[in-house]
Amino acid sequence: MSPHRFKTMGEQAGRRSWAEPWKIKMVEPIHMTSRAEREKAIAEAGYNTFLLRSEDVYIDLLTDSGTSAMSDRQWAGMMLGDEAYAGSVNFYHLEQAIQQYYGYPYMVPTHQGRGAEHLISQALIKKGQYVPGNMYFTTTRLHQELAGGIFVDVIIEEAHDPEALHPFKGNIDLNKLEDLIKKQGAENIAYVSLAGTVNMAGGQPVSMANVKELRQLCDKYSILLLLDATRMVENAYFIQTSEEGYADKTVAEILLEFCSYTDGAWMSGKKDHLVNIGGWLAVRDEGLFDELRNLVVVYEGLHTYGGMAGRDMEAMAIGIRESVQDDHIRARVGQVLYLGQLLIDWDIPIVRPVGGHAIFLDARRFYPHIQQDEFPSQMLAAQLYLDSGIRSMERGIVSAGRDPKTGQHRYPKLELTRLTIPRRVYTEAHMDVVAESVLEVYQNRTKTKGLKMVYEPTRLRFFQARFEPL
Ligand code: PLI
Protein backbone atom coordinates (compact mmCIF):
# COMPACT_ATOMS: atom_id res chain seq x y z
CA MET A 1 0.00 0.00 0.00
CA SER A 2 1.38 3.38 -0.95
CA PRO A 3 1.80 5.74 2.01
CA HIS A 4 1.26 8.61 -0.43
CA ARG A 5 -2.35 7.71 -1.24
CA PHE A 6 -3.58 7.30 2.31
CA LYS A 7 -3.00 10.46 4.26
CA THR A 8 -4.65 11.45 7.52
CA MET A 9 -7.73 13.69 7.49
CA GLY A 10 -5.61 16.58 8.73
CA GLU A 11 -3.13 16.24 5.88
CA GLN A 12 -5.96 16.01 3.35
CA ALA A 13 -7.74 19.14 4.54
CA GLY A 14 -7.86 21.95 2.01
CA ARG A 15 -6.64 19.68 -0.75
CA ARG A 16 -8.33 20.00 -4.18
CA SER A 17 -7.27 17.45 -6.77
CA TRP A 18 -7.65 17.56 -10.50
CA ALA A 19 -8.12 14.53 -12.71
CA GLU A 20 -7.52 13.44 -16.27
CA PRO A 21 -9.86 15.14 -18.80
CA TRP A 22 -11.19 11.80 -20.09
CA LYS A 23 -12.89 8.64 -18.93
CA ILE A 24 -12.11 5.08 -19.96
CA LYS A 25 -14.31 3.40 -22.58
CA MET A 26 -12.29 0.32 -23.47
CA VAL A 27 -9.69 -1.62 -21.50
CA GLU A 28 -6.84 -3.94 -22.43
CA PRO A 29 -6.18 -6.65 -19.84
CA ILE A 30 -2.62 -7.06 -18.59
CA HIS A 31 -1.36 -9.84 -16.41
CA MET A 32 1.29 -10.38 -13.79
CA THR A 33 3.91 -13.10 -14.24
CA SER A 34 5.67 -15.08 -11.52
CA ARG A 35 9.26 -14.36 -10.52
CA ALA A 36 10.30 -17.72 -12.04
CA GLU A 37 8.65 -16.79 -15.36
CA ARG A 38 10.38 -13.41 -15.37
CA GLU A 39 13.78 -14.96 -14.62
CA LYS A 40 13.36 -17.19 -17.67
CA ALA A 41 12.07 -14.34 -19.85
CA ILE A 42 14.87 -11.87 -19.04
CA ALA A 43 17.56 -14.53 -19.51
CA GLU A 44 16.07 -15.43 -22.90
CA ALA A 45 16.02 -11.71 -23.75
CA GLY A 46 19.76 -11.42 -23.03
CA TYR A 47 19.02 -9.00 -20.17
CA ASN A 48 17.79 -6.49 -22.73
CA THR A 49 14.25 -5.21 -22.08
CA PHE A 50 13.87 -4.46 -25.83
CA LEU A 51 14.04 -8.21 -26.45
CA LEU A 52 11.24 -9.16 -24.03
CA ARG A 53 7.89 -10.21 -25.43
CA SER A 54 5.28 -7.66 -24.43
CA GLU A 55 2.97 -10.43 -23.18
CA ASP A 56 5.58 -11.09 -20.46
CA VAL A 57 5.43 -7.46 -19.31
CA TYR A 58 3.11 -6.16 -16.57
CA ILE A 59 3.42 -2.35 -16.74
CA ASP A 60 5.17 -1.31 -19.94
CA LEU A 61 7.27 1.82 -19.45
CA LEU A 62 9.76 1.01 -22.20
CA THR A 63 8.75 4.07 -24.17
CA ASP A 64 6.10 6.71 -24.74
CA SER A 65 6.62 6.24 -28.47
CA GLY A 66 3.59 4.91 -30.32
CA THR A 67 2.12 3.64 -27.05
CA SER A 68 -0.55 6.32 -26.48
CA ALA A 69 -4.24 5.54 -26.15
CA MET A 70 -6.20 7.18 -28.95
CA SER A 71 -9.47 8.96 -28.25
CA ASP A 72 -12.89 7.92 -29.60
CA ARG A 73 -12.58 10.87 -32.02
CA GLN A 74 -9.29 9.55 -33.34
CA TRP A 75 -10.71 6.04 -33.79
CA ALA A 76 -13.69 7.54 -35.60
CA GLY A 77 -11.22 9.43 -37.80
CA MET A 78 -9.58 6.12 -38.74
CA MET A 79 -12.85 5.16 -40.45
CA LEU A 80 -12.55 8.26 -42.61
CA GLY A 81 -9.24 7.14 -44.07
CA ASP A 82 -9.01 8.10 -47.73
CA GLU A 83 -6.51 5.54 -49.02
CA ALA A 84 -5.97 7.17 -52.39
CA TYR A 85 -2.37 6.90 -53.54
CA ALA A 86 -2.24 10.62 -54.25
CA GLY A 87 -3.92 13.68 -52.77
CA SER A 88 -5.72 11.94 -49.87
CA VAL A 89 -8.11 14.23 -48.04
CA ASN A 90 -6.46 13.18 -44.77
CA PHE A 91 -3.14 14.63 -45.94
CA TYR A 92 -4.76 18.04 -46.26
CA HIS A 93 -6.27 17.73 -42.79
CA LEU A 94 -2.84 16.91 -41.40
CA GLU A 95 -1.16 19.72 -43.32
CA GLN A 96 -3.75 22.17 -42.00
CA ALA A 97 -3.23 21.04 -38.37
CA ILE A 98 0.55 21.45 -38.68
CA GLN A 99 0.19 24.88 -40.26
CA GLN A 100 -2.22 25.98 -37.55
CA TYR A 101 -0.41 24.69 -34.47
CA TYR A 102 3.26 24.59 -35.55
CA GLY A 103 3.15 27.38 -38.13
CA TYR A 104 5.25 25.79 -40.88
CA PRO A 105 3.77 26.28 -44.36
CA TYR A 106 5.32 23.24 -46.10
CA MET A 107 5.20 19.64 -44.87
CA VAL A 108 5.88 16.09 -46.00
CA PRO A 109 4.62 13.11 -43.97
CA THR A 110 7.07 10.35 -43.04
CA HIS A 111 6.58 6.86 -41.65
CA GLN A 112 7.94 8.02 -38.26
CA GLY A 113 10.47 10.45 -36.79
CA ARG A 114 13.62 8.78 -38.06
CA GLY A 115 12.28 8.90 -41.63
CA ALA A 116 12.15 12.68 -41.28
CA GLU A 117 15.61 12.74 -39.65
CA HIS A 118 16.99 10.82 -42.61
CA LEU A 119 15.52 13.27 -45.16
CA ILE A 120 16.61 16.45 -43.40
CA SER A 121 20.13 15.08 -42.81
CA GLN A 122 20.49 14.05 -46.46
CA ALA A 123 19.17 17.40 -47.66
CA LEU A 124 21.28 19.70 -45.51
CA ILE A 125 24.50 18.01 -44.37
CA LYS A 126 27.63 18.01 -46.52
CA LYS A 127 30.40 15.57 -45.61
CA GLY A 128 32.57 16.90 -42.79
CA GLN A 129 30.12 19.60 -41.67
CA TYR A 130 29.32 20.06 -37.98
CA VAL A 131 25.84 19.70 -36.50
CA PRO A 132 25.67 21.33 -33.07
CA GLY A 133 22.75 20.27 -30.87
CA ASN A 134 21.39 20.17 -27.34
CA MET A 135 22.58 16.68 -26.41
CA TYR A 136 22.44 13.80 -28.82
CA PHE A 137 19.47 11.58 -29.51
CA THR A 138 20.28 8.08 -30.77
CA THR A 139 18.53 8.05 -34.15
CA THR A 140 18.98 11.79 -34.78
CA ARG A 141 22.77 11.65 -34.36
CA LEU A 142 23.08 8.45 -36.37
CA HIS A 143 21.30 9.99 -39.37
CA GLN A 144 23.47 13.09 -39.07
CA GLU A 145 26.58 10.89 -39.02
CA LEU A 146 25.39 8.70 -41.89
CA ALA A 147 25.00 11.88 -43.96
CA GLY A 148 28.67 12.74 -43.20
CA GLY A 149 28.02 15.18 -40.35
CA ILE A 150 29.84 15.52 -37.03
CA PHE A 151 27.52 16.03 -34.08
CA VAL A 152 28.73 18.42 -31.36
CA ASP A 153 26.94 18.69 -28.03
CA VAL A 154 26.39 22.34 -27.06
CA ILE A 155 23.84 21.89 -24.28
CA ILE A 156 24.39 23.81 -21.01
CA GLU A 157 26.64 22.03 -18.51
CA GLU A 158 23.82 21.61 -15.97
CA ALA A 159 22.16 19.12 -18.33
CA HIS A 160 24.92 16.61 -17.61
CA ASP A 161 24.38 16.85 -13.87
CA PRO A 162 21.36 14.81 -12.70
CA GLU A 163 21.12 16.85 -9.50
CA ALA A 164 21.30 20.38 -10.97
CA LEU A 165 17.91 22.05 -10.49
CA HIS A 166 18.02 24.44 -13.47
CA PRO A 167 14.40 24.74 -14.77
CA PHE A 168 15.50 24.71 -18.44
CA LYS A 169 18.27 22.14 -18.58
CA GLY A 170 17.60 21.62 -22.29
CA ASN A 171 18.96 25.09 -23.15
CA ILE A 172 21.80 25.53 -25.57
CA ASP A 173 24.96 27.16 -24.22
CA LEU A 174 25.23 30.07 -26.65
CA ASN A 175 28.92 30.61 -25.86
CA LYS A 176 29.76 27.01 -26.65
CA LEU A 177 27.83 27.33 -29.91
CA GLU A 178 29.43 30.62 -30.94
CA ASP A 179 32.90 29.28 -30.12
CA LEU A 180 32.25 26.32 -32.41
CA ILE A 181 31.00 28.59 -35.22
CA LYS A 182 34.06 30.85 -34.90
CA LYS A 183 36.46 27.92 -34.75
CA GLN A 184 35.02 25.94 -37.67
CA GLY A 185 33.53 28.75 -39.76
CA ALA A 186 29.80 29.31 -40.30
CA GLU A 187 29.99 27.62 -43.72
CA ASN A 188 31.01 24.39 -41.99
CA ILE A 189 27.93 24.28 -39.78
CA ALA A 190 25.12 22.37 -41.52
CA TYR A 191 22.44 23.64 -39.14
CA VAL A 192 21.72 23.90 -35.43
CA SER A 193 19.76 20.86 -34.23
CA LEU A 194 17.53 21.94 -31.36
CA ALA A 195 15.29 19.45 -29.52
CA GLY A 196 12.38 20.28 -27.24
CA THR A 197 12.26 18.51 -23.83
CA VAL A 198 15.64 16.87 -24.35
CA ASN A 199 15.09 13.14 -24.12
CA MET A 200 18.56 11.92 -23.09
CA ALA A 201 18.91 14.69 -20.49
CA GLY A 202 15.75 13.51 -18.72
CA GLY A 203 13.00 15.23 -20.72
CA GLN A 204 14.37 18.69 -19.92
CA PRO A 205 12.82 21.73 -21.61
CA VAL A 206 14.28 24.66 -23.54
CA SER A 207 13.18 28.16 -22.52
CA MET A 208 11.60 30.69 -24.87
CA ALA A 209 14.39 33.11 -23.95
CA ASN A 210 16.96 30.57 -25.13
CA VAL A 211 15.34 29.91 -28.51
CA LYS A 212 14.97 33.67 -29.11
CA GLU A 213 18.67 34.24 -28.46
CA LEU A 214 19.51 31.23 -30.55
CA ARG A 215 17.54 32.70 -33.45
CA GLN A 216 19.58 35.90 -33.23
CA LEU A 217 22.85 33.99 -33.16
CA CYS A 218 21.82 31.87 -36.14
CA ASP A 219 20.79 35.01 -38.05
CA LYS A 220 24.13 36.66 -37.26
CA TYR A 221 25.96 33.80 -38.99
CA SER A 222 23.22 32.86 -41.52
CA ILE A 223 22.82 29.35 -40.09
CA LEU A 224 19.57 27.38 -40.20
CA LEU A 225 17.86 26.49 -36.94
CA LEU A 226 15.92 23.21 -37.06
CA LEU A 227 13.76 21.80 -34.33
CA ASP A 228 13.11 18.25 -33.19
CA ALA A 229 9.47 18.94 -32.26
CA THR A 230 8.80 15.41 -30.99
CA ARG A 231 7.86 16.49 -27.45
CA MET A 232 7.45 20.24 -28.02
CA VAL A 233 3.94 20.33 -26.52
CA GLU A 234 5.44 19.13 -23.23
CA ASN A 235 8.13 21.77 -23.62
CA ALA A 236 5.47 24.45 -24.11
CA TYR A 237 3.77 23.31 -20.90
CA PHE A 238 7.01 23.81 -18.94
CA ILE A 239 7.35 27.30 -20.41
CA GLN A 240 3.79 28.07 -19.32
CA THR A 241 4.41 26.85 -15.77
CA SER A 242 8.02 28.01 -15.22
CA GLU A 243 8.98 30.91 -17.48
CA GLU A 244 8.13 34.46 -16.61
CA GLY A 245 5.53 36.07 -18.84
CA TYR A 246 3.90 32.86 -20.10
CA ALA A 247 1.50 31.86 -17.30
CA ASP A 248 -1.46 33.48 -19.05
CA LYS A 249 -0.74 32.10 -22.51
CA THR A 250 -2.18 28.81 -23.73
CA VAL A 251 0.09 25.89 -24.53
CA ALA A 252 -1.00 26.21 -28.17
CA GLU A 253 0.07 29.88 -28.27
CA ILE A 254 3.43 29.05 -26.67
CA LEU A 255 4.04 26.20 -29.10
CA LEU A 256 3.36 28.42 -32.09
CA GLU A 257 5.61 31.19 -30.78
CA PHE A 258 8.47 28.76 -30.07
CA CYS A 259 8.28 27.25 -33.55
CA SER A 260 8.21 30.75 -35.08
CA TYR A 261 11.89 31.17 -34.14
CA THR A 262 12.89 28.06 -36.11
CA ASP A 263 13.28 27.38 -39.83
CA GLY A 264 11.64 23.99 -39.77
CA ALA A 265 11.05 20.88 -37.70
CA TRP A 266 10.97 17.12 -37.79
CA MET A 267 8.53 15.17 -35.75
CA SER A 268 7.96 11.73 -34.35
CA GLY A 269 4.17 11.84 -34.21
CA LYS A 270 4.30 8.75 -32.02
CA LYS A 271 4.83 10.96 -28.97
CA ASP A 272 2.98 14.28 -28.55
CA HIS A 273 0.47 13.55 -31.32
CA LEU A 274 -1.22 10.68 -29.45
CA VAL A 275 -0.96 8.18 -32.31
CA ASN A 276 0.73 4.83 -32.74
CA ILE A 277 2.69 5.58 -35.92
CA GLY A 278 3.73 8.46 -38.16
CA GLY A 279 5.89 11.54 -38.44
CA TRP A 280 6.52 14.60 -40.56
CA LEU A 281 9.07 17.12 -41.70
CA ALA A 282 8.07 20.75 -42.20
CA VAL A 283 9.94 23.87 -43.30
CA ARG A 284 9.42 27.51 -44.17
CA ASP A 285 11.65 27.71 -47.24
CA GLU A 286 10.05 26.74 -50.54
CA GLY A 287 13.35 25.74 -52.15
CA LEU A 288 14.24 23.39 -49.30
CA PHE A 289 10.72 21.98 -49.44
CA ASP A 290 11.20 21.20 -53.12
CA GLU A 291 14.32 19.20 -52.25
CA LEU A 292 12.49 17.35 -49.45
CA ARG A 293 9.62 16.46 -51.76
CA ASN A 294 12.15 14.97 -54.17
CA LEU A 295 13.72 12.93 -51.39
CA VAL A 296 10.49 11.76 -49.76
CA VAL A 297 9.32 9.97 -52.89
CA VAL A 298 12.56 7.98 -52.95
CA TYR A 299 12.71 6.90 -49.32
CA GLU A 300 9.21 7.14 -47.80
CA GLY A 301 6.38 7.43 -50.34
CA LEU A 302 4.57 10.01 -52.43
CA HIS A 303 4.69 13.49 -50.89
CA THR A 304 1.01 13.31 -49.87
CA TYR A 305 1.38 10.13 -47.78
CA GLY A 306 5.12 9.65 -47.16
CA GLY A 307 4.81 6.20 -45.57
CA MET A 308 1.53 6.77 -43.73
CA ALA A 309 -1.92 5.37 -44.42
CA GLY A 310 -4.68 7.93 -44.94
CA ARG A 311 -6.40 6.76 -41.74
CA ASP A 312 -3.20 7.30 -39.76
CA MET A 313 -2.87 10.85 -41.08
CA GLU A 314 -6.46 11.54 -39.99
CA ALA A 315 -5.85 10.17 -36.48
CA MET A 316 -2.72 12.31 -36.29
CA ALA A 317 -4.51 15.49 -37.40
CA ILE A 318 -7.09 14.94 -34.65
CA GLY A 319 -4.38 13.99 -32.15
CA ILE A 320 -2.55 17.26 -32.80
CA ARG A 321 -5.64 19.25 -31.80
CA GLU A 322 -6.15 17.15 -28.68
CA SER A 323 -2.50 17.30 -27.68
CA VAL A 324 -2.34 21.08 -27.39
CA GLN A 325 -5.30 21.39 -25.02
CA ASP A 326 -4.11 22.74 -21.67
CA ASP A 327 -6.17 20.19 -19.70
CA HIS A 328 -4.63 17.30 -21.60
CA ILE A 329 -1.02 18.34 -21.22
CA ARG A 330 -1.39 19.23 -17.55
CA ALA A 331 -2.70 15.73 -16.85
CA ARG A 332 -0.03 14.10 -19.01
CA VAL A 333 2.92 15.85 -17.42
CA GLY A 334 1.12 15.80 -14.06
CA GLN A 335 1.21 12.02 -14.02
CA VAL A 336 4.96 12.01 -14.67
CA LEU A 337 5.46 14.56 -11.88
CA TYR A 338 3.32 12.43 -9.55
CA LEU A 339 5.58 9.41 -9.99
CA GLY A 340 8.67 11.58 -9.72
CA GLN A 341 7.51 13.16 -6.49
CA LEU A 342 6.88 9.76 -4.89
CA LEU A 343 10.45 8.70 -5.69
CA ILE A 344 11.89 12.03 -4.52
CA ASP A 345 9.96 11.69 -1.24
CA TRP A 346 11.51 8.25 -0.79
CA ASP A 347 15.06 9.56 -1.48
CA ILE A 348 15.53 7.51 -4.62
CA PRO A 349 18.15 9.03 -6.94
CA ILE A 350 16.46 10.35 -10.08
CA VAL A 351 17.22 13.11 -12.56
CA ARG A 352 15.83 16.41 -11.33
CA PRO A 353 13.86 18.47 -12.10
CA VAL A 354 11.44 15.79 -13.28
CA GLY A 355 10.96 16.08 -17.05
CA GLY A 356 7.94 15.77 -19.31
CA HIS A 357 7.71 12.17 -20.46
CA ALA A 358 9.63 9.96 -18.10
CA ILE A 359 11.39 9.42 -14.81
CA PHE A 360 15.09 8.76 -15.22
CA LEU A 361 16.66 6.72 -12.44
CA ASP A 362 20.26 7.69 -11.82
CA ALA A 363 22.05 4.34 -12.07
CA ARG A 364 25.39 5.82 -10.99
CA ARG A 365 23.96 6.72 -7.60
CA PHE A 366 21.82 3.57 -7.52
CA TYR A 367 24.76 1.24 -8.14
CA PRO A 368 27.96 3.18 -7.32
CA HIS A 369 29.80 -0.15 -7.05
CA ILE A 370 29.13 -1.11 -10.71
CA GLN A 371 31.59 0.32 -13.28
CA GLN A 372 30.06 2.12 -16.25
CA ASP A 373 31.35 -0.54 -18.67
CA GLU A 374 29.58 -3.18 -16.61
CA PHE A 375 26.30 -1.54 -17.69
CA PRO A 376 24.62 -0.44 -14.45
CA SER A 377 21.54 1.10 -16.14
CA GLN A 378 21.02 -2.01 -18.23
CA MET A 379 21.16 -4.08 -15.04
CA LEU A 380 18.79 -1.74 -13.24
CA ALA A 381 16.22 -2.18 -16.02
CA ALA A 382 16.61 -5.96 -15.71
CA GLN A 383 16.23 -5.84 -11.92
CA LEU A 384 13.02 -3.82 -12.15
CA TYR A 385 11.62 -6.33 -14.57
CA LEU A 386 12.62 -9.22 -12.30
CA ASP A 387 11.04 -7.56 -9.29
CA SER A 388 7.64 -6.70 -10.73
CA GLY A 389 7.39 -7.20 -14.49
CA ILE A 390 7.79 -3.46 -15.13
CA ARG A 391 9.65 -2.71 -18.33
CA SER A 392 12.02 0.27 -18.51
CA MET A 393 14.87 1.22 -20.85
CA GLU A 394 18.64 1.75 -20.59
CA ARG A 395 19.75 5.30 -21.40
CA GLY A 396 23.45 5.21 -20.62
CA ILE A 397 26.61 3.72 -22.06
CA VAL A 398 24.80 1.13 -24.20
CA SER A 399 22.58 3.77 -25.83
CA ALA A 400 25.57 6.09 -26.36
CA GLY A 401 27.28 3.49 -28.60
CA ARG A 402 30.84 3.67 -29.88
CA ASP A 403 32.76 6.62 -31.25
CA PRO A 404 32.86 6.15 -35.05
CA LYS A 405 36.49 7.34 -35.18
CA THR A 406 38.09 5.44 -32.29
CA GLY A 407 35.69 2.52 -32.03
CA GLN A 408 35.73 2.88 -28.23
CA HIS A 409 32.64 3.03 -26.02
CA ARG A 410 31.36 6.55 -25.53
CA TYR A 411 31.12 7.19 -21.78
CA PRO A 412 28.17 9.57 -21.24
CA LYS A 413 28.08 11.52 -18.00
CA LEU A 414 24.47 10.46 -17.51
CA GLU A 415 23.95 6.77 -16.82
CA LEU A 416 20.18 6.43 -16.59
CA THR A 417 17.31 3.98 -16.63
CA ARG A 418 14.13 5.46 -18.08
CA LEU A 419 10.61 4.79 -16.84
CA THR A 420 8.65 6.28 -19.72
CA ILE A 421 4.98 7.02 -19.26
CA PRO A 422 2.68 6.35 -22.24
CA ARG A 423 -0.02 8.98 -22.72
CA ARG A 424 -3.54 8.28 -21.41
CA VAL A 425 -2.73 4.61 -20.73
CA TYR A 426 -1.96 4.00 -17.06
CA THR A 427 -3.58 5.21 -13.84
CA GLU A 428 -2.21 6.69 -10.65
CA ALA A 429 -2.47 3.24 -9.05
CA HIS A 430 -0.09 1.89 -11.70
CA MET A 431 2.32 4.69 -10.79
CA ASP A 432 2.16 3.63 -7.13
CA VAL A 433 2.99 0.04 -8.08
CA VAL A 434 5.94 1.28 -10.14
CA ALA A 435 7.27 3.46 -7.32
CA GLU A 436 7.03 0.62 -4.83
CA SER A 437 8.96 -1.70 -7.13
CA VAL A 438 11.70 0.91 -7.63
CA LEU A 439 11.94 1.23 -3.85
CA GLU A 440 12.27 -2.54 -3.45
CA VAL A 441 15.05 -2.72 -6.05
CA TYR A 442 16.77 0.27 -4.42
CA GLN A 443 16.69 -1.43 -1.02
CA ASN A 444 18.43 -4.49 -2.53
CA ARG A 445 20.96 -2.46 -4.50
CA THR A 446 24.18 -3.49 -2.78
CA LYS A 447 23.66 -7.16 -3.72
CA THR A 448 23.41 -6.41 -7.44
CA LYS A 449 26.33 -6.99 -9.82
CA GLY A 450 26.94 -5.75 -13.37
CA LEU A 451 26.66 -7.33 -16.82
CA LYS A 452 28.93 -8.22 -19.71
CA MET A 453 27.89 -7.67 -23.33
CA VAL A 454 27.92 -10.92 -25.30
CA TYR A 455 26.40 -9.69 -28.58
CA GLU A 456 26.82 -6.20 -29.99
CA PRO A 457 25.03 -4.97 -33.14
CA THR A 458 26.93 -2.49 -35.29
CA ARG A 459 24.27 0.27 -35.22
CA LEU A 460 21.92 1.54 -32.47
CA ARG A 461 23.21 -1.34 -30.37
CA PHE A 462 20.87 -0.78 -27.44
CA PHE A 463 17.93 -2.19 -29.41
CA GLN A 464 19.35 -5.69 -29.85
CA ALA A 465 22.48 -6.12 -27.72
CA ARG A 466 22.61 -9.18 -25.44
CA PHE A 467 24.14 -9.45 -21.97
CA GLU A 468 24.94 -11.96 -19.26
CA PRO A 469 25.29 -11.31 -15.54
CA LEU A 470 28.86 -11.07 -14.25
O1 PLI B 1 10.98 6.62 -33.10
P1 PLI B 1 10.83 7.60 -34.23
O2 PLI B 1 11.59 7.20 -35.41
O3 PLI B 1 9.42 7.93 -34.54
O4 PLI B 1 11.44 9.01 -33.71
C1 PLI B 1 12.79 9.19 -33.45
C2 PLI B 1 12.97 10.20 -32.36
C3 PLI B 1 13.40 11.45 -32.66
N1 PLI B 1 13.59 12.39 -31.72
C4 PLI B 1 13.36 12.13 -30.40
C5 PLI B 1 13.61 13.19 -29.40
C6 PLI B 1 12.92 10.89 -30.02
O5 PLI B 1 12.67 10.66 -28.73
C7 PLI B 1 12.71 9.86 -31.00
C8 PLI B 1 12.32 8.56 -30.67
N2 PLI B 1 12.27 8.19 -29.40
C9 PLI B 1 11.99 6.99 -28.89
C10 PLI B 1 11.69 5.80 -29.74
C11 PLI B 1 12.01 6.87 -27.45
O6 PLI B 1 11.70 5.78 -26.94
O7 PLI B 1 12.33 7.86 -26.80
Side-chain angles (χ1 to χ4, degrees):
M1 183 185 295
S2 151
H4 193 86
R5 299 176 74 219
F6 299 89
K7 288 188 173 160
T8 63
M9 287 247 291
E11 283 168 321
Q12 298 279 21
R15 175 188 144 145
R16 298 302 300 250
S17 295
W18 51 268
E20 287 78 4
W22 39 260
K23 57 185 176 173
I24 297 165
K25 189 176 328 219
M26 188 191 280
V27 296
E28 178 182 343
I30 49 178
H31 73 281
M32 183 63 146
T33 45
S34 66
R35 172 96 194 184
E37 285 169 330
R38 294 195 293 276
E39 279 171 2
K40 187 164 171 280
I42 196 77
E44 279 175 10
Y47 285 78
N48 185 346
T49 51
F50 277 102
L51 300 179
L52 288 167
R53 288 165 179 256
S54 77
E55 62 190 0
D56 294 331
V57 172
Y58 175 41
I59 300 176
D60 202 345
L61 305 186
L62 182 71
T63 178
D64 63 331
S65 182
T67 52
S68 296
M70 293 208 299
S71 67
D72 52 358
R73 272 67 174 170
Q74 287 176 290
W75 279 108
M78 298 283 281
M79 297 305 291
L80 302 176
D82 167 8
E83 307 306 342
Y85 188 87
S88 157
V89 69
N90 314 114
F91 165 78
Y92 295 103
H93 293 168
L94 178 60
E95 182 183 58
Q96 207 270 324
I98 293 164
Q99 287 168 345
Q100 181 176 348
Y101 292 103
Y102 291 81
Y104 305 112
Y106 305 114
M107 179 280 290
V108 288
T110 59
H111 76 282
Q112 59 183 82
R114 68 199 71 180
E117 289 170 341
H118 174 218
L119 301 184
I120 197 72
S121 304
Q122 293 296 327
L124 291 180
I125 301 172
K126 294 195 199 83
K127 197 167 172 0
Q129 277 188 323
Y130 293 85
V131 189
N134 52 346
M135 201 174 270
Y136 84 99
F137 183 70
T138 52
T139 56
T140 318
R141 180 177 65 192
L142 181 60
H143 279 297
Q144 291 164 350
E145 287 174 353
L146 290 173
I150 303 161
F151 176 81
V152 184
D153 186 7
V154 290
I155 203 166
I156 59 171
E157 271 317 300
E158 286 90 334
H160 295 285
D161 175 359
E163 293 174 83
L165 288 177
H166 192 296
F168 291 100
K169 276 165 99 172
N171 281 355
I172 284 190
D173 181 330
L174 297 159
N175 292 326
K176 272 193 205 169
L177 176 58
E178 191 158 20
D179 287 350
L180 179 80
I181 299 170
K182 283 184 180 153
K183 187 166 162 216
Q184 305 299 347
E187 67 285 3
N188 293 317
I189 309 289
Y191 55 89
V192 174
S193 176
L194 175 72
T197 51
V198 180
N199 197 350
M200 303 302 274
Q204 304 295 332
V206 178
S207 69
M208 194 72 86
N210 191 246
V211 72
K212 278 190 204 173
E213 285 188 289
L214 202 50
R215 176 74 266 165
Q216 284 170 4
L217 191 65
C218 287
D219 284 346
K220 180 171 159 191
Y221 292 99
S222 301
I223 295 172
L224 289 175
L225 174 55
L226 289 160
L227 177 66
D228 181 337
T230 296
R231 297 185 184 85
M232 255 322 291
V233 181
E234 291 164 10
N235 199 112
Y237 176 73
F238 284 115
I239 291 174
Q240 187 191 53
T241 52
S242 314
E243 192 164 352
E244 218 185 305
Y246 287 92
D248 296 331
K249 293 213 182 334
T250 64
V251 162
E253 286 166 345
I254 296 168
L255 176 67
L256 195 60
E257 180 184 338
F258 195 103
C259 293
S260 75
Y261 301 117
T262 65
D263 296 300
W266 64 89
M267 179 80 195
S268 169
K270 301 171 74 175
K271 283 78 166 178
D272 271 353
H273 291 350
L274 301 163
V275 289
N276 307 119
I277 195 69
W280 49 261
L281 177 57
V283 293
R284 296 187 193 285
D285 182 76
E286 210 177 337
L288 176 57
F289 176 58
D290 206 41
E291 169 70 3
L292 298 175
R293 268 202 308 194
N294 284 324
L295 283 173
V296 78
V297 296
V298 181
Y299 294 107
E300 299 282 316
L302 193 77
H303 63 280
T304 56
Y305 77 87
M308 289 179 74
R311 54 181 173 269
D312 292 325
M313 289 191 281
E314 190 64 30
M316 188 184 273
I318 298 168
I320 291 175
R321 292 176 204 287
E322 292 180 359
S323 74
V324 298
Q325 304 304 318
D326 284 26
D327 281 356
H328 158 73
I329 194 66
R330 180 178 68 162
R332 189 281 184 279
V333 177
Q335 188 176 46
V336 180
L337 300 181
Y338 171 81
L339 175 59
Q341 195 56 49
L342 273 183
L343 298 177
I344 291 168
D345 290 347
W346 296 347
D347 288 330
I348 294 178
I350 65 170
V351 173
R352 294 180 66 188
V354 173
H357 67 303
I359 301 301
F360 290 72
L361 304 173
D362 184 355
R364 280 185 196 277
R365 282 183 289 152
F366 229 91
Y367 295 140
H369 55 286
I370 302 181
Q371 303 294 318
Q372 196 170 14
D373 54 12
E374 293 174 355
F375 313 110
S377 320
Q378 189 79 33
M379 191 47 154
L380 179 48
Q383 290 300 319
L384 276 171
Y385 175 72
L386 284 168
D387 179 68
S388 59
I390 290 165
R391 172 152 69 171
S392 57
M393 183 196 289
E394 195 268 3
R395 294 277 78 157
I397 185 171
V398 185
S399 297
R402 290 182 185 272
D403 186 300
K405 269 202 193 128
T406 66
Q408 298 300 310
H409 286 308
R410 289 167 162 136
Y411 287 86
K413 286 190 189 147
L414 295 176
E415 184 62 38
L416 310 173
T417 302
R418 190 182 74 174
L419 298 161
T420 334
I421 318 296
R423 296 165 185 79
R424 307 195 292 206
V425 171
Y426 292 113
T427 66
E428 194 171 302
H430 289 112
M431 297 301 113
D432 288 340
V433 169
V434 171
E436 289 157 16
S437 176
V438 174
L439 182 61
E440 179 76 19
V441 171
Y442 189 58
Q443 282 166 348
N444 290 320
R445 64 194 180 279
T446 54
K447 293 181 224 150
T448 307
K449 296 200 174 71
L451 292 165
K452 67 172 181 225
M453 205 186 315
V454 293
Y455 167 67
E456 183 176 355
T458 48
R459 299 221 161 103
L460 299 176
R461 64 182 182 177
F462 56 95
F463 283 130
Q464 295 173 78
R466 300 183 71 85
F467 303 83
E468 281 172 7
L470 283 170

